[in-house]
Amino acid sequence: GLPYGSASGITLATAPEPTKKIVAFPMTVLDIDYGDIADYALIRFSIAEDVYAIFGNNAGRITQFIKLAEEQADNIISDIEHGTLQGFKSLAEEIQHKLKAALQPNPKRAEELRRAKKNNKRFLPDIYWPRLKIVGCWLSSSVGQYTEELRA
């Protein structure tokens, strides 16, 4: 009966409604139990948006998302273009139903991303979130080791 999961995920899930409305992904993503699909969904929805701030994760977790975005760039761009989500069919029906409304095709954003990816050696946040100004995360314990990697 005790809640478990990432601290920032639980914090976000219990945040006030106004906070939830400015999040770049549908809150239903937090209900996905499958690690790889959940991570992919989170980064896929976020890259579709104009993100200007990231709060609440540790530096190591953020670097994991950046690596995932680079590895899956073509799939993410295709999903944004077509309003799809890799692994969607493997999700519980209730989650599929809740996510369906958020899965709208955005060919304009996909083309912007595709062009930016083509013009750069790597697919990194400065490409898909050019207005990102601040990353707020905790750095204590072993996660501080990711600070320099994240800064780059």
Side-chain angles (χ1 to χ4, degrees):
L2 297 174
Y4 69 93
S6 66
S8 50
I10 290 172
T11 302
L12 182 57
T14 59
E17 285 306 313
T19 301
K20 292 178 184 179
K21 288 182 180 179
I22 62 168
V23 174
F25 54 88
M27 297 302 292
T28 302
V29 169
L30 300 177
D31 296 333
I32 300 173
D33 289 334
Y34 318 103
D36 292 345
I37 298 172
D39 288 354
Y40 180 88
L42 194 142
I43 197 69
R44 177 264 186 248
F45 280 109
S46 298
I47 287 177
E49 300 298 328
D50 182 18
V51 172
Y52 56 89
I54 298 173
F55 293 105
N57 259 321
N58 68 64
R61 189 79 170 115
I62 295 169
T63 59
Q64 286 177 330
F65 284 117
I66 292 168
K67 287 175 185 172
L68 178 63
E70 191 164 24
E71 291 166 5
Q72 295 292 324
D74 292 333
N75 289 331
I76 291 168
I77 293 169
S78 177
D79 277 344
I80 291 168
E81 180 176 26
H82 299 104
T84 54
L85 174 68
Q86 301 287 316
F88 181 78
K89 296 284 187 200
S90 65
L91 299 175
E93 278 188 41
E94 180 183 341
I95 293 174
Q96 287 184 29
H97 179 72
K98 288 180 181 179
L99 286 178
K100 218 169 220 173
L103 289 169
Q104 299 299 315
N106 190 343
K108 181 180 176 192
R109 175 67 174 154
E111 184 53 34
E112 289 170 6
L113 293 168
R114 197 172 280 118
R115 203 173 323 113
K117 181 180 177 280
K118 182 180 178 183
N119 293 331
N120 292 276
K121 291 180 181 175
R122 299 187 62 197
F123 192 65
L124 296 172
D126 62 329
I127 304 244
Y128 44 87
W129 297 324
R131 294 182 347 136
L132 179 64
K133 299 293 182 210
I134 187 167
V135 176
C137 57
W138 50 275
L139 301 172
S140 64
S141 189
S142 63
V143 299
Q145 69 182 325
Y146 297 100
T147 306
E148 290 309 312
E149 187 177 353
L150 180 59
R151 227 180 272 280

